[in-house]
Amino acid sequence: MRLQLTLLLGVTLVTLASYTSLENVPQNQIDFYQGSYDDFLREAKKLKKPILLDFWASWCGPCKKLENETFSNPSLVSFLNTNYMVYKVDIDSFDGMAIADRFSVDVYPTLVLLDAKTKYVGRYRGFFPADYLKNELERAKSQKGKHFIAPKINTTASL
C-alpha cells in the first residue's frame, strides 16, 4: 500500500513538473522549426502551410539586424506563427550550404518563399522592416509556386 502511494505521488509530481501551460510559451518569438530540413518539409506539407526559409550566418550584420528588429516585431511574429512554417538555414553548416546551393542563395540574409507543396514562390534579399515584410508575405501567402530551376553554372574555363 505504501509503495503504491509513493509511486502514485511520484508519477503525479513528474506529470506536474513536465506540464507547460501556453502562458509560458513566448508569444513574441517566431516559432522556427527545430528539426531537420527534411522533417520540416514533411511537416509543412502535412499542415498545408506555406514555407519561409531564412538563410543567415552568424557573421552577417544584416542577418543580425533582421533578427533583432524585424523578427522581434509582435505583429510580424503573430502573422508568421499563424500562417507560415519558418525554418532558419545556417549557411555555415554543411546542410545549410547544400540548401543554399539548391536555391542559389548568395546574398545574406535571404528569405525564400515556398508554397504549401514546397514549390518556389519567390525571395527577398537583404534587410526589410517588419511592416514591409508582413505586407509582402500577406500578398504572397496564397500564391502558387513553380519548380525552382537553379541557373546553370558554366564549368568550362576559357584559356
Side-chain angles (χ1 to χ4, degrees):
M1 175 73 168
R2 186 175 186 159
L3 179 62
Q4 289 174 332
L5 185 57
T6 304
L7 185 61
L8 180 62
L9 182 61
V11 169
T12 303
L13 288 176
V14 168
T15 302
L16 289 174
S18 65
Y19 175 75
T20 304
S21 72
L22 290 177
E23 294 172 6
N24 294 337
V25 175
Q27 298 299 317
N28 59 347
Q29 293 179 347
I30 294 175
D31 185 20
F32 292 105
Y33 189 83
Q34 298 300 315
S36 73
Y37 180 67
D38 291 334
D39 290 344
F40 168 74
L41 293 178
R42 279 191 284 279
E43 185 71 16
K45 281 183 179 179
K46 185 172 85 174
L47 295 175
K48 297 180 181 172
K49 280 188 165 186
I51 293 169
L52 180 66
L53 301 175
D54 174 20
F55 291 87
W56 69 282
S58 61
W59 45 262
C60 168
C63 298
K64 292 176 185 175
K65 185 174 180 171
L66 186 71
E67 180 73 27
N68 294 333
E69 294 179 25
T70 303
F71 287 159
S72 64
N73 178 283
S75 177
L76 179 64
V77 167
S78 175
F79 174 77
L80 285 174
N81 287 343
T82 302
N83 297 291
Y84 280 88
M85 291 284 296
V86 187
Y87 189 77
K88 287 183 89 58
V89 181
D90 179 0
I91 59 99
D92 287 330
S93 71
F94 287 116
D95 289 340
M97 287 187 282
I99 300 166
D101 285 345
R102 159 83 173 85
F103 291 102
S104 300
V105 174
D106 57 359
V107 174
Y108 307 103
T110 293
L111 303 174
V112 172
L113 298 174
L114 306 175
D115 67 12
K117 295 180 180 179
T118 69
K119 291 184 179 173
Y120 180 80
V121 173
R123 70 178 63 217
Y124 300 94
R125 294 178 175 177
F127 171 81
F128 293 95
D131 292 338
Y132 175 82
L133 185 58
K134 182 181 175 196
N135 290 337
E136 289 294 313
L137 294 174
E138 282 177 335
R139 255 187 263 139
K141 186 174 75 168
S142 60
Q143 287 183 359
K144 299 287 185 214
K146 56 187 179 280
H147 290 287
F148 183 75
I149 300 172
K152 293 185 180 183
I153 299 171
N154 186 0
T155 56
T156 56
S158 57
L159 298 174

